[in-house]
Amino acid sequence: MIKVNMNKINTIDYLLKSSEDIWQKYYYHPFVKGIEQGNLDKNKFRYYIIQDFLYLEEYLKVFSIGIAKSTSIDTIKLFSKSLFSIVENEMSIHSGYMGKFKISKDELRKTKRELDNISYTSYMLRIAYEESEVEIISAILSCALSYELIARKMIKDNPNCINDDFFGKWIKGYSSDEYKNDNRNLINALNTLTENYTDEKLFHLNEIFNNCSKYELLFWNFSWNFNNQNEFL
């Protein structure tokens, strides 16, 4: 078994390092680059917005279970604040685009979740129901942190992308200081709660984080492949 020297690296850095190859695929994925360059097929983006809204409905439940699984007031506050932030901020981004696309509640209700979407949220919910607050945070961070880093990489590669008339709102939302601060709270909690974790426990967190990271890539894939048979793998 490979030893992890946690005196030199904290938990989130260890998880990010172990999933680096997967995350690099996010940054150069054609769907992501299309948002950055402002030339993504809007039908693909429309489909993504619907699927991501359906995803967020289940994602919120993971935070709710995290509240119930919390072993301290601090962690209860962490999950509660994150839950509120998603409802008030992240879902408002989606609502804005749903307005632009004229997506009705009836269309949302009738739209079937992609199989990978179902599998992803089912996996996260299983982790939430069966494991502890620490595993829940590890599962959550694959999604939450990847969106921040993707948006910030977009701005680094193309500073003007944030001013795009259509996609700029998405980029601004996920690169905002408020969104970043929510992620830092999750990261700080994870690092603190795992200070004395054994290698075995860390490897387990790594498995969860990597699985969720792979699901994130699948999400970009099926969004890109809407009316497109070419996969980016």
Side-chain angles (χ1 to χ4, degrees):
M1 182 179 289
I2 299 173
K3 288 288 184 180
V4 180
N5 189 345
M6 295 307 292
N7 292 322
K8 295 183 178 180
I9 187 170
N10 59 34
T11 300
I12 189 61
D13 289 338
Y14 162 58
L15 297 179
L16 287 171
K17 183 65 177 177
S18 71
S19 61
E20 186 176 11
D21 290 346
I22 303 169
W23 285 49
Q24 284 298 315
K25 291 182 180 181
Y26 302 158
Y27 305 137
Y28 300 102
H29 196 286
F31 191 94
V32 171
K33 296 302 286 185
I35 294 175
E36 176 199 315
Q37 295 164 5
N39 59 11
L40 178 67
D41 182 344
K42 289 187 173 59
N43 285 327
K44 293 182 186 296
F45 192 73
R46 185 183 194 277
Y47 186 68
Y48 154 80
I49 286 294
I50 292 174
Q51 288 293 322
D52 204 39
F53 190 88
L54 296 174
Y55 165 86
L56 288 174
E57 288 181 334
E58 301 301 297
Y59 187 59
L60 288 169
K61 296 176 185 177
V62 178
F63 287 85
S64 298
I65 299 168
I67 294 171
K69 289 291 187 77
S70 294
T71 58
S72 71
I73 293 296
D74 287 341
T75 314
I76 289 173
K77 289 179 179 179
L78 173 71
F79 284 120
S80 298
K81 185 177 183 299
S82 296
L83 189 66
F84 178 82
S85 182
I86 294 168
V87 172
E88 292 299 312
N89 299 319
E90 190 167 359
M91 293 191 87
S92 70
I93 296 173
H94 289 69
S95 296
Y97 282 109
M98 286 192 289
K100 288 184 178 182
F101 286 126
K102 295 181 171 56
I103 300 168
S104 66
K105 290 183 179 180
D106 188 57
E107 181 179 357
L108 278 174
R109 182 178 58 81
K110 290 179 179 178
T111 299
K112 292 183 179 180
R113 287 178 168 85
E114 281 275 356
L115 187 60
D116 287 331
N117 194 351
I118 295 171
S119 181
Y120 186 7
T121 54
S122 296
Y123 177 74
M124 295 181 79
L125 285 166
R126 182 181 69 77
I127 295 298
Y129 279 116
E130 295 181 2
E131 307 210 35
S132 79
E133 58 193 351
V134 179
E135 286 78 19
I136 294 172
I137 295 172
S138 298
I140 286 167
L141 274 170
S142 295
C143 173
L145 185 57
S146 68
Y147 270 60
E148 176 197 333
L149 298 187
I150 285 169
R152 290 178 178 269
K153 181 73 162 57
M154 287 177 176
I155 296 170
K156 180 181 178 181
D157 291 348
N158 179 16
N160 195 48
C161 69
I162 201 166
N163 298 317
D164 186 87
D165 289 340
F166 190 83
F167 296 109
K169 182 178 179 180
W170 189 96
I171 299 168
K172 286 177 183 176
Y174 290 113
S175 63
S176 68
D177 287 340
E178 184 175 9
Y179 187 77
K180 178 181 178 179
N181 289 337
D182 287 340
N183 283 336
R184 291 306 164 277
N185 290 334
L186 289 167
I187 288 169
N188 290 338
L190 178 69
N191 288 335
T192 299
L193 290 167
T194 58
E195 281 180 351
N196 298 313
Y197 259 34
T198 63
D199 284 352
E200 184 179 2
K201 286 184 176 181
L202 288 169
F203 286 132
H204 181 54
L205 295 185
N206 183 46
E207 179 184 25
I208 293 169
F209 189 83
N210 268 267
N211 284 340
C212 290
S213 295
K214 291 173 184 176
Y215 274 123
E216 283 294 317
L217 183 58
L218 291 175
F219 210 104
W220 296 124
N221 281 344
F222 73 64
S223 298
W224 172 250
N225 288 327
F226 180 68
N227 293 332
N228 186 327
Q229 296 303 310
N230 297 318
E231 291 190 356
F232 183 83
L233 292 171

